Amino acid sequence: MVPTIDFRRNADLILTITGYMLASSGMSIFNKLTVINLPLPLTIVAVQMAFTVASLLCTPSLLSWGSTEDLKRWGLTVPLLFVGMLASSMIAMQFASLGAIVVCRNVAPIATMLIESMFRIPFVLTTHTVLSLLTIVGGVCMYEANDLSFSFGGICAILVNMVFAVLERIMQRHLMANNPVDLSKPMMMMLNNAVGMLPCLVLAFVWGEHTQWRTAFHELRLNGAVFLIVSCLNGLAISYVGIRLQHMVAATTFMVITNVNKFAVILFGILAFGDVATPFSILGCALAISGGAYYAEARKQAELDRQPSRVPTAQYAKVAQTQPASAHGEKL
């Protein structure tokens, strides 16, 4: 029976890793394709949120909570940061290349460090963390120096996205670990999307997207509609397999899988959208992504060194501190 159990476990792991890689890379790719065909980023986010809410309502038994107070604590905080993260991410998709988004997001550890210091969250700064951050910054500068489609608006959207992503992660960590709420994960997803949908629609009206709805949807071709539907399905898929994979593999393995996805997205951007692909920019891309991996390992080691009396046990995956989550679980 043991070989059979091991075979099933390995097969399940392989399928989960494959599903996560497809969903994770697909999230960035299909969001980019969708916003190209339907240039209404905030409207797209609202549609994706509505799709998630409708899907979760089909499984009401999974939506459980402990008290009304728990619903308030989560519903009045995390969804607002969540919608800010999604909206800024989709706006970045409209104004920046896929490569620029993936590469620039590697400076997220710097935003994390600054914001955590503001909230007086302990942060260990070592020689390796400093070197890794310098590697990331150097790589990003090399890439952007050769990015012919450089957009100041796109870079601003990426930076705003990182700030929202870090704040959302800190708040989630507080409500899930430090002062936990009694909510099921599907219920958290429901609150994020149901509560976040209203401010997203308000932003769409402020942005003036509502004046383009009739024309944009009337002129939307079949392939654009397909991209929109697939992006909605992709959001659900990554929400499920992302949580599942984080419970099945070590943090280092999860990080390696994420970095492979980054290269896949950048390669797609080069082949499909003609993103910059000079030797200098490719070197910068490799440095930025490698620096992100270096930072994750350096910070993990620094945290372990702070607790020398503890015997390290199997390190199960946590939410990566260098990669903000995506819209429905997507890594940024």
Side-chain angles (χ1 to χ4, degrees):
M1 292 297 293
V2 174
T4 302
I5 294 175
D6 288 340
F7 174 78
R8 289 179 178 176
R9 184 178 301 162
N10 291 336
D12 188 26
L13 177 60
I14 292 172
L15 288 174
T16 302
I17 290 175
T18 303
Y20 175 78
M21 293 183 70
L22 291 173
S24 180
S25 56
M27 198 73 233
S28 296
I29 291 171
F30 284 111
N31 275 349
K32 181 67 174 180
L33 290 170
T34 302
V35 82
I36 288 175
N37 286 272
L38 183 65
L40 303 174
L42 297 172
T43 302
I44 293 172
V45 172
V47 171
Q48 292 175 339
M49 290 179 129
F51 183 88
T52 301
V53 170
S55 300
L56 289 171
L57 287 175
C58 295
T59 56
S61 60
L62 300 178
L63 305 175
S64 61
W65 65 92
S67 67
T68 304
E69 184 62 27
D70 289 332
L71 291 174
K72 289 181 179 179
R73 289 172 56 207
W74 185 280
L76 295 178
T77 53
V78 178
L80 301 180
L81 299 173
F82 180 72
V83 72
M85 179 181 66
L86 298 192
S88 56
S89 175
M90 195 63 73
I91 291 173
M93 286 285 178
Q94 185 177 23
F95 294 106
S97 66
L98 272 179
I101 293 171
V102 172
V103 172
C104 290
R105 279 175 175 169
N106 282 278
V107 302
I110 299 176
T112 302
M113 181 178 64
L114 294 175
I115 293 174
E116 285 185 341
S117 64
M118 291 173 58
F119 285 90
R120 298 183 179 180
I121 298 175
F123 179 84
V124 181
L125 198 63
T126 66
T127 301
H128 287 293
T129 55
V130 172
L131 288 175
S132 64
L133 292 174
L134 291 175
T135 301
I136 292 171
V137 172
V140 171
C141 290
M142 288 175 65
Y143 183 90
E144 286 302 324
N146 290 266
D147 188 0
L148 300 179
S149 61
F150 175 84
S151 165
F152 181 74
I155 295 300
C156 289
I158 294 171
L159 294 176
V160 170
N161 173 252
M162 285 190 293
V163 172
F164 271 113
V166 172
L167 289 173
E168 193 238 9
R169 181 180 56 79
I170 291 174
M171 182 57 68
Q172 280 201 23
R173 184 171 59 190
H174 173 70
L175 294 177
M176 295 179 72
N178 300 335
N179 190 12
V181 294
D182 185 10
L183 300 172
S184 65
K185 286 184 174 63
M187 191 65 210
M188 293 175 184
M189 289 174 59
M190 171 62 81
L191 290 173
N192 284 349
N193 288 276
V195 176
M197 200 187 315
L198 179 59
C200 186
L201 288 173
V202 171
L203 286 174
F205 273 85
V206 172
W207 203 264
E209 289 189 3
H210 66 289
T211 62
Q212 306 173 53
W213 283 350
R214 181 185 295 273
T215 302
F217 282 101
H218 179 73
E219 296 178 353
L220 184 63
R221 297 182 178 180
L222 178 61
N223 60 342
V226 171
F227 292 145
L228 177 59
I229 294 171
V230 173
S231 72
C232 292
L233 292 171
N234 210 114
L236 279 178
I238 198 172
S239 296
Y240 174 74
V241 294
I243 294 173
R244 184 176 177 82
L245 183 60
Q246 289 178 33
H247 286 84
M248 296 178 71
V249 301
T252 303
T253 303
F254 192 87
M255 177 188 64
V256 170
I257 294 170
T258 300
N259 285 332
V260 170
N261 276 341
K262 289 180 182 179
F263 283 110
V265 171
I266 290 174
L267 179 61
F268 183 88
I270 292 172
L271 296 176
F273 303 123
D275 289 355
V276 59
T278 65
F280 199 69
S281 66
I282 292 175
L283 177 60
C285 169
L287 279 176
I289 294 178
S290 300
Y294 180 19
Y295 172 83
E297 186 62 30
R299 180 151 182 178
K300 184 179 74 172
Q301 188 58 49
E303 294 294 336
L304 290 175
D305 291 342
R306 290 180 61 194
Q307 304 169 342
S309 60
R310 294 187 178 182
V311 179
T313 56
Q315 298 295 312
Y316 291 98
K318 303 175 183 177
V319 176
Q321 296 190 19
T322 59
Q323 301 300 326
S326 112
H328 306 279
E330 173 199 7
K331 288 220 171 243
L332 295 180

